[in-house]
Amino acid sequence: MIEIHGLHKAFGSLDVLRGIDLEIAAGAVVCVIGPSGSGKSTLLRCVNLLEQPTTGRVLIGGTEVTDPECDIDAVRRRIGMVFQQFNLFPHLSALDNVAIAQRKVLRRPRREAGRIARENLDRVGLGDKAAAYPAQLSGGQQQRVAIARALAMGPEVMLFDEPTSALDPELVGDVLGVMRGLAMDGMTMLVVTHEMSFAREVADQVVFMDEGVIVEQGPPAQVIGDPSHERTRAFLARVLNPATAT
Amino acid sequence: MSVSETTEAPPRRTLTRRQRHRLVLGGEYAVFLAVVLAVVLLADWDTVRQNLANWDVARQLFPDIITVGLRNTVLYTLLAYAFGLAVGMVIAMLRLSSVPPYRWFAMAFVEVFRGLPALLIIIFVGFGIPFAFAIEIPGGVVGQITLALGMVAAGYMAETIRAGIEAVPRGQMEAARSLGMSYGRAMRSIIIPQAFRIIIPPLTNEMILLFKDSSLVLFLAVTLEQRELTKFGRDLTGQVGNTTPIVVAGLCYLLITIPLGYLVRRLDARQRRGQR
């Protein structure tokens, strides 16, 4: 579903990604973990070209998005993205947040867009919040509206960029619950996260990144349970047991 | 001076902080009263009333000062405002363009029209362009007024709009683009509606400024029916040899600008409380 070949990304003289190769099969859930500054988010943003890769190729379902001739708006319709800071549209109600791109991009009539928006709000457990504005919702609710907004476009792939990092701890569970449900429904997902228990439980594959390269990847039992690289072990020790790490 | 102050310091200490405050306040009131008294006693009130608030003259002004003067002032302001908003919007977009020559053009436009006196632009549009290029500006004098005042307003509004657009967080554009919206669609549906919420108070303020600047069209060749408040007031002042028409015209301006100013403060206060 997603193929990444030889991806490099530099910001000025700073090499953030230094040669990434990754393939994600349809229906697979891949979690990307790693220390901050390792390039995880940049990798995700290169997949839907929010960042333009310096070199390398990215293919989504056979379409090469890095081809200059590619209609990127058409490809982005097939890729849902969820941001760390939610990025809901503050001037629109929850319902309109989910409906607006359906109407303006997919040209769905108002009523159909509204119906699909309601279905997706129901799916994330917020059917009763359709009329609420983002400022009236908690962080966890906002992030679930953001997931509904992406799902309403009928994407083939969902990208999650640290979706729970900006949430109060007690709200993380609701968002992860929605993501777990999506994974079970067979959605192809690429998730940048610090939630190790989610990665261990839901991911088909875990990718550990550090300093712009993939250090190791494999099933969660292997990468998280029995890492073979020293850098992975050191990172997991810090994340899983912050109190005793030195 | 400083020596005598230091030597006199101990007795002054006997005044408490509060007594000193009262003394200063009393002095301020005394000065105020003296000025008011001087004006009241020295001015020749019959002459003042005769020249500035002559009822017979004032009565003659109605209803024309409203149906011609105020009406045209409002009309010119609204026309120029609409024109200026449209041009300002385009200039703001050019200013944010990724094509450098567009940005340069927008910057030059803003510098020129903010840097020149409004009166100079009005004279230039009214006399310079028609003679230099041998063209008629469509709409006659009203068209000239709309163009000249509109360009002045556009320079300011372009910068206000740009600032509003830049005040919308970057993540909004990213979210809109990631849903498949084109740049233009994201601007229209997501960014600009939010930007306008931010800039409604300064844009309303711009309308007040424009309302007052519309008085400058008195330098253009307007017909009797096209006179706005200031020209109307000045013409009648000349006819009757009395300044009352200017005073009445001034009151007509305040009739509009004071409520608008109040509205701006309300909108500003509401925004500072945070948008819902």
Side-chain angles (χ1 to χ4, degrees):
Chain A
M1 192 71 225
I2 304 177
E3 288 176 59
I4 299 168
H5 300 292
L7 184 65
H8 284 256
K9 173 67 185 176
F11 292 105
S13 59
L14 182 69
D15 290 320
V16 178
L17 297 179
R18 299 181 299 151
I20 302 283
D21 295 283
L22 186 63
E23 281 193 32
I24 298 166
V29 175
V30 174
C31 284
V32 183
I33 61 173
S36 60
S38 58
K40 314 180 295 285
S41 288
T42 305
L43 169 63
L44 201 70
R45 292 161 62 86
C46 281
V47 171
N48 70 350
L49 248 61
L50 281 184
E51 301 291 353
Q52 185 72 43
T54 310
T55 58
R57 298 166 66 218
V58 176
L59 289 88
I60 307 287
T63 313
E64 184 179 347
V65 300
T66 41
D67 181 351
E69 295 295 309
C70 168
D71 177 1
I72 188 60
D73 293 334
V75 180
R76 284 187 181 136
R77 277 169 225 164
R78 295 157 48 196
I79 310 172
M81 180 145 185
V82 175
F83 298 86
Q84 184 177 351
Q85 298 297 337
F86 330 136
N87 293 348
L88 287 186
F89 306 133
H91 62 303
L92 300 176
S93 68
L95 187 80
D96 287 335
N97 261 279
V98 184
I100 188 161
Q102 298 181 57
R103 287 177 42 209
K104 303 295 183 185
V105 177
L106 303 180
R107 303 262 159 228
R108 284 180 189 152
R110 179 185 285 271
R111 288 188 56 185
E112 188 191 351
R115 181 178 57 75
I116 294 172
R118 271 175 215 286
E119 283 170 15
N120 281 287
L121 284 174
D122 280 338
R123 188 172 178 184
V124 299
L126 291 173
D128 57 333
K129 295 289 184 188
Y133 281 81
Q136 297 166 323
L137 299 172
S138 73
Q141 291 170 332
Q142 288 189 53
Q143 192 61 297
R144 284 185 283 154
V145 173
I147 294 172
R149 175 173 74 176
L151 290 176
M153 302 296 284
E156 298 160 32
V157 179
M158 286 285 286
L159 308 175
F160 291 87
D161 187 5
E162 301 196 27
T164 58
S165 296
L167 297 178
D168 292 336
E170 77 270 21
L171 303 175
V172 168
D174 292 340
V175 172
L176 292 182
V178 168
M179 291 169 62
R180 201 171 281 129
L182 274 181
M184 290 202 293
D185 291 346
M187 177 64 77
T188 310
M189 292 163 67
L190 181 56
V191 185
V192 172
T193 187
H194 291 291
E195 297 291 335
M196 290 306 141
S197 55
F198 176 81
R200 195 173 351 216
E201 187 192 330
V202 180
D204 299 302
Q205 231 186 4
V206 173
V207 173
F208 173 71
M209 278 180 72
D210 194 14
E211 295 179 346
V213 294
I214 293 176
V215 176
E216 67 179 294
Q217 58 178 307
Q222 181 193 320
V223 176
I224 299 176
D226 183 22
S228 53
H229 282 72
E230 182 48 41
R231 278 196 280 178
T232 319
R233 275 198 287 274
F235 170 74
L236 288 170
R238 277 199 308 274
V239 175
L240 294 175
N241 211 346
T244 56
T246 49
Chain B
M1 190 65 187
S2 64
V3 175
S4 72
E5 243 176 30
T6 43
T7 50
E8 278 173 21
R12 276 181 59 191
R13 278 277 160 74
T14 57
L15 282 178
T16 64
R17 203 185 177 77
R18 193 147 150 218
Q19 284 169 321
R20 248 198 333 265
H21 176 73
R22 275 197 192 149
L23 207 64
V24 170
L25 204 63
E28 283 170 9
Y29 275 113
V31 170
F32 174 73
L33 271 175
V35 171
V36 170
L37 273 175
V39 171
V40 168
L41 295 176
L42 295 179
D44 178 348
W45 283 103
D46 279 340
T47 315
V48 170
R49 192 179 309 124
Q50 196 63 33
N51 279 287
L52 296 184
N54 187 318
W55 279 115
D56 295 329
V57 174
R59 253 195 302 274
Q60 289 172 34
L61 298 172
F62 291 91
D64 283 8
I65 195 162
I66 303 294
T67 56
V68 177
L70 184 58
R71 172 187 166 274
N72 281 331
T73 292
V74 169
L75 177 73
Y76 298 159
T77 305
L78 293 180
L79 282 173
Y81 193 81
F83 184 73
L85 194 61
V87 175
M89 195 77 215
V90 172
I91 297 294
M93 286 296 133
L94 293 179
R95 183 76 172 72
L96 295 167
S97 162
S98 51
V99 183
Y102 286 170
R103 286 204 300 274
W104 299 335
F105 172 79
M107 277 191 267
F109 181 97
V110 168
E111 293 304 334
V112 167
F113 286 98
R114 280 201 318 189
L116 290 176
L119 180 54
L120 194 142
I121 294 169
I122 285 170
I123 294 172
F124 189 77
V125 169
F127 304 102
I129 293 179
F131 289 124
F133 300 99
I135 51 159
E136 279 279 305
I137 289 166
V141 174
V142 176
Q144 290 175 0
I145 292 166
T146 305
L147 179 64
L149 284 178
M151 293 302 250
V152 175
Y156 288 96
M157 290 204 262
E159 281 298 276
T160 305
I161 294 167
R162 178 185 65 85
I165 288 172
E166 286 181 342
V168 177
R170 235 176 63 126
Q172 293 289 309
M173 179 56 95
E174 290 183 349
R177 294 305 302 273
S178 74
L179 288 164
M181 291 189 195
S182 65
Y183 177 83
R185 169 50 68 194
M187 267 288 168
R188 285 196 300 281
S189 294
I190 305 299
I191 307 298
I192 289 174
Q194 292 183 58
F196 265 87
R197 253 151 239 243
I198 299 171
I199 61 177
I200 279 177
L203 282 186
T204 311
N205 215 17
E206 181 57 34
M207 182 174 279
I208 297 177
L209 295 178
L210 203 56
F211 188 73
K212 295 187 295 173
D213 277 350
S214 69
S215 66
L216 295 169
V217 309
L218 116 120
F219 288 88
L220 295 178
V222 292
T223 67
L224 288 180
E225 287 303 305
Q226 288 171 331
R227 290 182 299 183
E228 43 64 63
L229 275 174
T230 299
K231 184 159 173 71
F232 191 93
R234 199 195 59 162
D235 285 0
L236 267 92
T237 292
Q239 280 168 32
V240 300
N242 182 300
T243 326
T244 303
I246 289 290
V247 173
V248 178
L251 292 174
C252 288
Y253 279 105
L254 295 178
L255 203 69
I256 304 285
T257 52
I258 289 176
L260 269 182
Y262 176 74
L263 182 69
V264 171
R265 284 195 301 280
R266 282 278 305 269
L267 291 170
D268 246 345
R270 203 175 77 181
Q271 209 154 68
R272 248 192 291 279
R273 281 204 307 272
Q275 303 121 297
R276 181 185 57 93

